[in-house]
Amino acid sequence: EVQLVESGGGLVLPGGSLRLSCAASGFTFSSYWMHWVRQAPGKGLVWVSRINNDGSSTIYTDSVKGRFTISRDNAKNTLYLQMNSLRAEDTAVYYCAGEKDAFEIWGQGTVVTVSS
Amino acid sequence: QAGLTQPPSVSKDLRQTATLTCTGNSNNVGNQGAAWLQQLQGHPPKLLSYRKNNRPSGISERFSASRSGNTASLTITGLQPEDEADYYCSAWDTSLSAWVFGGGTKLTVL
């Protein structure tokens, strides 16, 4: 079964850090470019970051540049998102998604809440 | 970063046809077309189509996508109760070097 499973979400204070993980199974992880997409409560989807299949290229949406870092370990079939200097507006469900041509594979999401 | 424009809501009767629109510009929708995703309440998104009306395996032929200039469309024929969901378009923006999403359209099947 093709599957992405996110973990690492939780409640964090403003200015704090979290590291999200996304474990892949059932498909050739190293062949897919991978994304993080987030969705604030009651709001729409917002693309956050993308990494190419071998990890040599990364891009970010402007609002997280310099604060978030996307990475992957193809040997462990795992995608990561290191989030630093978190703000209240980063509160959202964070989804990882796999791309061959578009966002073909999605995880169930992990909830990140930034609040004091 | 600028997003794509979708109408917030569309309502159609059971078994009728709904056409959802997504307007961008020549750097995104007008360049490589758009992908369409469906999100049922409480679930992650699911890809319905990408680029030139390519449907992933298992997606019903009732869903078809098209593009005219900078506007992409998703047509859903024979509306069923299970089609009631939020629909998002997305496209790669060559100017921003980023993916952009529309704000989503909530489809209500009456």
Side-chain angles (χ1 to χ4, degrees), chain B residues 82-101:
Chain B
E82 60 265 29
D83 297 331
E84 194 161 282
D86 293 322
Y87 291 83
Y88 294 91
C89 60
S90 182
W92 172 253
D93 192 299
T94 56
S95 174
L96 299 173
S97 291
W99 279 87
V100 289
F101 279 91

Side-chain angles (χ1 to χ4, degrees), chain B residues 74-86:
Chain B
L74 177 72
T75 298
I76 312 170
T77 59
L79 283 168
Q80 300 298 312
E82 60 265 29
D83 297 331
E84 194 161 282
D86 293 322

Side-chain angles (χ1 to χ4, degrees), chain B residues 46-62:
Chain B
K46 179 172 73 173
L47 182 67
L48 296 178
S49 76
Y50 57 95
R51 296 206 187 126
K52 299 178 181 178
N53 194 27
N54 293 290
R55 277 188 303 272
S57 173
I59 300 301
S60 170
E61 292 181 353
R62 295 191 300 109

Side-chain angles (χ1 to χ4, degrees), chain A residues 35-48:
Chain A
H35 301 256
W36 287 98
V37 177
R38 67 186 180 185
Q39 187 169 33
K43 302 296 185 181
L45 302 172
V46 175
W47 174 81
V48 174

